Amino acid sequence: MSYQEKKNVVSLFSTILIFSFYCLYVFQTYPEAVQESAETFRFWASVILILIPVSIAAKIIITIVFNIIYRITTNEKEPSFTDELDKLIELKASRNSHYVFILGFVLSMGSLVLNMPPYAMFIILIFSGLVSEVVGVITQLYLYRRGV
């Protein structure tokens, strides 16, 4: 496997792991007694706003640890440049990721149109963010294996 493939595999597992632990924490502390819509919106907005920096910080730490382990095990540095193939693969993965997130966003708005509870919209948004990131990483893995 190339460096990019290994990096994407680590990214995929770390994304799923971070998201799983965060969801376990959130759903254990979810206040079932919240009936007011303002409190529901406040709770889920804080869940999303906390998830963003937590996942960014965790991914930075995981990337640093991955680079250290990669350097120790292979005696190679991380590639310091990206060529046109890397950029093209990144663009295609980003495109697919955005399509999935936009679909999730539309579904979350549709949940409100269908008179589902407000927390359903937030849960759909959070999961569409996860699925879009997973689709982006899997697209990159696929394109590195198959070629563009």
Side-chain angles (χ1 to χ4, degrees):
M1 266 205 248
S2 68
Y3 172 80
Q4 288 85 1
E5 289 172 314
K6 290 177 185 175
K7 181 179 76 170
N8 285 325
V9 168
V10 169
S11 176
L12 179 66
F13 285 125
S14 67
T15 297
I16 293 171
L17 193 68
I18 292 165
F19 188 78
S20 298
F21 282 131
Y22 190 74
C23 281
L24 283 173
Y25 170 74
V26 167
F27 289 122
Q28 286 177 354
T29 61
Y30 177 68
E32 296 289 335
V34 174
Q35 298 297 325
E36 301 173 31
S37 63
E39 288 299 316
T40 301
F41 283 112
R42 186 175 295 120
F43 174 77
W44 286 105
S46 68
V47 164
I48 291 174
L49 289 176
I50 292 171
L51 174 63
I52 293 169
V54 165
S55 64
I56 289 172
K59 283 189 168 261
I60 288 171
I61 293 169
I62 290 170
T63 301
I64 291 170
V65 169
F66 168 73
N67 284 331
I68 291 170
I69 292 172
Y70 182 80
R71 176 82 188 249
I72 290 172
T73 57
T74 63
N75 288 333
E76 296 177 13
K77 285 186 176 180
E78 171 187 356
S80 60
F81 65 91
T82 57
D83 58 3
E84 288 81 20
L85 178 66
D86 292 334
K87 291 178 183 177
L88 185 62
I89 288 173
E90 230 176 271
L91 284 173
K92 287 184 177 193
S94 179
R95 177 198 62 195
N96 292 349
S97 177
H98 285 96
Y99 285 160
V100 170
F101 184 76
I102 292 300
L103 177 66
F105 179 79
V106 169
L107 288 174
S108 70
M109 294 300 117
S111 71
L112 291 178
V113 171
L114 296 174
N115 290 327
M116 295 176 77
Y119 65 83
M121 177 194 69
F122 287 106
I123 291 174
I124 293 170
L125 272 176
I126 292 170
F127 277 103
S128 71
L130 169 72
V131 172
S132 72
E133 191 166 342
V134 168
V135 164
V137 171
I138 289 175
T139 300
Q140 284 184 353
L141 282 171
Y142 176 75
L143 291 176
Y144 274 118
R145 279 286 168 180
R146 184 190 67 107
V148 178

